[in-house]
Amino acid sequence: MLRTISRDLRDADWNITAVLEMGDPAVDPCGAPRLVDLLPGDQTDRCYGVAIDIGTTSNVVYLVDLIRGKVIDRASAYNGQISVGEDIISRIVYAQKRDGLRRLQQLVLKTLNGLLDEITTRNQIPAGQIGKAVVAGNTTMLHLFLELDPRAIREIAVHTGLSSRCQ
């Protein structure tokens, strides 16, 4: 933001909406608000977030109006990771290959970015107006999303006998 703030303020003729992230007083009672973005004009009636569900089979993105507390729209698609393995164990094994973990992350990001493009276009909302995102999924899917090595998940399942029940 520091690189563009001067230009953004001038382009908006100094009429901007500051997007602030308020701290959680239960966690940090003295926490100050954090400036997240500057939007041109008065956009106080528009604030959006997305809730993302990364499933083994499909991914779902929900567009949420954060001011009104309502889900506006949803989009879903098959998780692009299916192309390298239909189940969690296959993907964990694939992640151990050279560049496998990075490829798995790229596949899910491609799917999610496509869904975000679809939902923002359909609702005529600039992506810059999405101020919050929450991502949920099972432990393996979150590891792959964050490009974290999921090997230990499989090793624990194998050593405890859970692998036959958890596929």
Side-chain angles (χ1 to χ4, degrees), residues 62-76:
Y62 298 90
L63 179 63
V64 181
D65 180 329
L66 295 176
I67 293 174
R68 292 162 190 82
K70 291 185 174 185
V71 175
I72 299 170
D73 200 357
R74 72 183 282 279
S76 64

Side-chain angles (χ1 to χ4, degrees), residues 13-150:
D13 197 28
W14 304 93
N15 180 15
I16 55 102
T17 298
V19 179
L20 302 175
E21 180 176 76
M22 307 306 285
D24 183 349
V27 175
D28 182 7
C30 298
R34 186 174 72 91
L35 181 63
V36 176
D37 202 359
L38 294 175
L39 303 174
D42 180 357
Q43 298 193 32
T44 54
D45 64 334
R46 290 168 284 209
C47 186
Y48 302 98
V50 290
I52 299 170
D53 179 10
I54 301 175
T56 308
T57 304
S58 61
N59 299 156
V60 184
V61 174
Y62 298 90
L63 179 63
V64 181
D65 180 329
L66 295 176
I67 293 174
R68 292 162 190 82
K70 291 185 174 185
V71 175
I72 299 170
D73 200 357
R74 72 183 282 279
S76 64
Y78 285 111
N79 185 334
Q81 295 173 339
I82 289 176
S83 64
V84 297
E86 291 187 13
D87 60 62
I88 289 172
I89 300 299
S90 299
R91 293 184 203 170
I92 292 173
V93 169
Y94 186 87
Q96 304 314 302
K97 295 181 180 183
R98 183 176 177 198
D99 292 325
L101 184 56
R102 185 180 57 79
R103 176 149 162 64
L104 284 163
Q105 184 193 43
Q106 289 174 342
L107 287 167
V108 73
L109 289 177
K110 181 178 179 184
T111 303
L112 295 175
N113 285 330
L115 291 172
L116 288 167
D117 286 345
E118 176 186 332
I119 211 164
T120 54
T121 300
R122 187 166 55 224
N123 291 278
Q124 300 175 354
I125 295 171
Q129 286 186 350
I130 296 175
K132 286 282 186 185
V134 177
V135 180
N138 68 45
T139 305
T140 302
M141 292 296 96
L142 292 176
H143 271 63
L144 299 177
F145 171 71
L146 296 170
E147 199 177 349
L148 299 173
D149 187 355

